[in-house]
Amino acid sequence: MEPKKHVKRLAEFIGRAFSEAEEEQGVIEQIIELCSLQKLKNLEVNKTTWSPPGFNDKHASRTAFFRKGMAGDFKNHMTSKMAQTLDDVNDEKFKESGLEIWASTRNN
């Protein structure tokens, strides 16, 4: 995987391409680090009991929002119909973006 390449493409896609100075300063690498699962799971807000606004279970643990991210593990958390719906939504949302969603639930 090439995260730097994809972060650059995403920035260009949303109309916020990185300047040469930003690239030289390591801004892309900083974004990659800030968005890493390791960094996110260690944020204090994600270590304590927390619920997003509008979420009914006021005592949900962080495990309700973070999983181990193992390939195919979605089958332990989603029905086949849910997985298909997710694929269909992704296909529709990304069809004209030029981005290819390869981490699909299909064929897993």
Side-chain angles (χ1 to χ4, degrees), residues 67-108:
R67 297 186 300 121
K68 293 186 189 252
M70 298 180 70
D73 188 47
F74 72 91
K75 293 175 185 175
N76 296 319
H77 304 275
M78 304 170 91
T79 65
S80 295
K81 183 170 174 46
M82 291 167 71
Q84 183 61 52
T85 299
L86 180 61
D87 278 339
D88 293 345
V89 168
N90 283 334
D91 288 347
E92 178 63 29
K93 297 289 183 184
F94 289 99
K95 71 181 177 186
E96 294 182 27
S97 70
L99 296 173
E100 184 177 326
I101 306 301
W102 56 268
S104 172
T105 58
R106 293 183 184 96
N107 302 318
N108 286 324

Side-chain angles (χ1 to χ4, degrees), residues 6 12 16 49 51 61 72 86 97-98 102 106:
H6 295 290
E12 291 166 6
R16 301 288 185 175
T49 301
S51 296
S61 71
L86 180 61
S97 70
W102 56 268
R106 293 183 184 96

Side-chain angles (χ1 to χ4, degrees), residues 26-72:
V27 171
I28 298 171
E29 289 82 0
Q30 291 171 20
I31 291 170
I32 293 167
E33 173 61 26
L34 287 170
C35 295
S36 72
L37 290 177
Q38 189 66 35
K39 181 76 168 182
L40 292 172
K41 81 175 190 177
N42 287 322
L43 291 174
E44 189 59 35
V45 70
N46 294 326
K47 290 182 176 182
T48 59
T49 301
W50 173 83
S51 296
F55 191 70
N56 291 334
D57 185 354
K58 298 296 181 198
H59 302 289
S61 71
R62 71 184 184 95
T63 58
F65 303 101
F66 287 92
R67 297 186 300 121
K68 293 186 189 252
M70 298 180 70

Side-chain angles (χ1 to χ4, degrees), residues 3-20 22-23 28 31 97-99:
K4 186 173 180 177
K5 171 184 165 186
H6 295 290
V7 169
K8 286 178 72 169
R9 282 186 69 198
L10 183 58
E12 291 166 6
F13 174 72
I14 64 171
R16 301 288 185 175
F18 295 100
S19 69
E20 194 173 309
E22 288 172 323
E23 288 194 47
I28 298 171
I31 291 170
S97 70
L99 296 173

